[in-house]
């Protein structure tokens, strides 16, 4: 079965709730990465993923198949995250793990120096991401790490596509500035 997410969710909305398993298989990993990137807590992220799918079942009647399923799902995810953050008021939210390293094109195996340098770069990137404001971190996680389209992000955030583009640009610039500052501090 290779139906689109919109078709499958429309079937769930129509009463075939067993189809939710298809959506879970397709999206639970990306949602988990999103939550871990936002809250630094693996167990909480697992709970939030489950909460998102329960909410999708609960609010299935509100799903509009003409709209992007992904945007609808991430809107629910944002709401679940905000609700959870309100419960945990006062805790610091950031990024601790980003081990979603995409496979690289086939090439020569890197040497130990390159592996070490890459690991240091990733650690530095994590620290830089951690210093970004949560809104900038979120838009980068959605656009760069979860590879959502700007139109979908606009639906999640409730803004125009142009606004998303500006926010991504500003977040990338802020991340670059923080990264450069941290790299200078490290080499000093």
């Amino acid at each position: 079965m290779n139906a689109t997410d919109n078709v499958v969710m429309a079937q769930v909305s129509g009463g075939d709730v067993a189809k939710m398993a298809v959506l879970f298989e397709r999206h639970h990993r990306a949602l988990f990465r999103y939550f871990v990137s936002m809250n630094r807590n693996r167990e909480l992220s697992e709970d939030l993923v489950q909460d998102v799918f329960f909410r999708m079942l609960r609010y299935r009647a509100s799903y509009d198949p003409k709209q992007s399923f992904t945007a609808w799902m991430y809107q629910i995810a944002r709401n679940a995250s905000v609700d959870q953050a309100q419960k945990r008021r006062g805790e610091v939210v950031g990024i601790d793990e980003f081990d979603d390293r995409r496979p690289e094109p086939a090439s020569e195996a890197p040497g130990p120096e390159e592996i070490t340098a890459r690991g240091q770069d990733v650690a530095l990137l994590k620290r830089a991401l951690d210093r970004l404001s949560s809104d900038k971190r979120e838009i980068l996680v959605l656009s760069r790490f979860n590879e959502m389209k700007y139109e979908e992000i606009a639906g999640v955030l409730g803004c125009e596509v142009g606004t998303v583009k500006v926010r991504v640009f500003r977040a990338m610039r802020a991340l670059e500035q923080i990264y450069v500052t941290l790299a200078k501090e490290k080499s000093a």
Side-chain angles (χ1 to χ4, degrees):
M1 177 176 173
N2 199 9
T4 67
D5 293 336
N6 283 23
V7 169
V8 175
M9 189 60 211
Q11 292 170 336
V12 171
S13 293
D16 190 358
V17 295
K19 298 281 186 185
M20 186 58 77
V22 173
L23 295 171
F24 181 84
E25 282 304 313
R26 290 180 183 176
H27 297 285
H28 76 278
R29 287 179 191 90
L31 280 171
F32 177 75
R33 286 190 306 266
Y34 167 75
F35 286 128
V36 166
S37 297
M38 296 307 296
N39 67 33
R40 303 172 56 167
N41 184 321
R42 293 182 75 82
E43 291 173 10
L44 175 61
S45 296
E46 290 170 357
D47 291 344
L48 285 167
V49 168
Q50 289 181 11
D51 187 30
V52 167
F53 284 95
F54 285 131
R55 287 179 186 216
M56 286 169 53
L57 278 173
R58 187 179 318 135
Y59 302 118
R60 66 186 179 267
S62 72
Y63 177 69
D64 179 2
K66 296 178 209 137
Q67 302 299 319
S68 164
F69 167 79
T70 305
W72 182 74
M73 179 183 70
Y74 276 98
Q75 183 62 53
I76 291 172
R78 282 187 91 217
N79 292 342
S81 186
V82 167
D83 292 348
Q84 184 61 34
Q86 288 175 345
K87 290 178 187 175
R88 300 178 3 228
R89 224 172 272 209
E91 289 185 30
V92 176
V93 177
I95 186 167
D96 185 33
E97 293 186 30
F98 183 70
D99 59 0
D100 178 40
R101 298 191 186 118
R102 308 250 190 276
E104 295 184 18
S107 64
E108 290 183 38
E113 299 86 10
E114 187 177 339
I115 291 171
T116 302
R118 213 180 280 165
Q120 290 171 352
D121 288 345
V122 169
L124 201 56
L125 178 60
K126 286 181 187 179
R127 287 181 52 213
L129 279 167
D130 207 22
R131 291 190 181 184
L132 279 176
S133 63
S134 62
D135 59 324
K136 285 185 169 85
R137 185 176 336 106
E138 179 181 38
I139 203 151
L140 289 179
V141 167
L142 292 173
S143 67
R144 297 299 191 251
F145 305 135
N146 286 1
E147 299 176 350
M148 287 179 66
K149 296 177 182 170
Y150 288 161
E151 293 81 12
E152 293 173 325
I153 297 170
V156 170
L157 301 179
C159 63
E160 299 294 323
V161 173
T163 304
V164 171
K165 290 178 182 179
V166 169
R167 288 180 183 175
V168 168
F169 174 78
R170 288 179 180 163
M172 288 297 292
R173 205 162 78 192
L175 180 64
E176 178 185 19
Q177 290 170 348
I178 294 168
Y179 184 90
V180 167
T181 301
L182 290 173
K184 285 179 184 177
E185 289 173 4
K186 181 181 167 190
S187 65

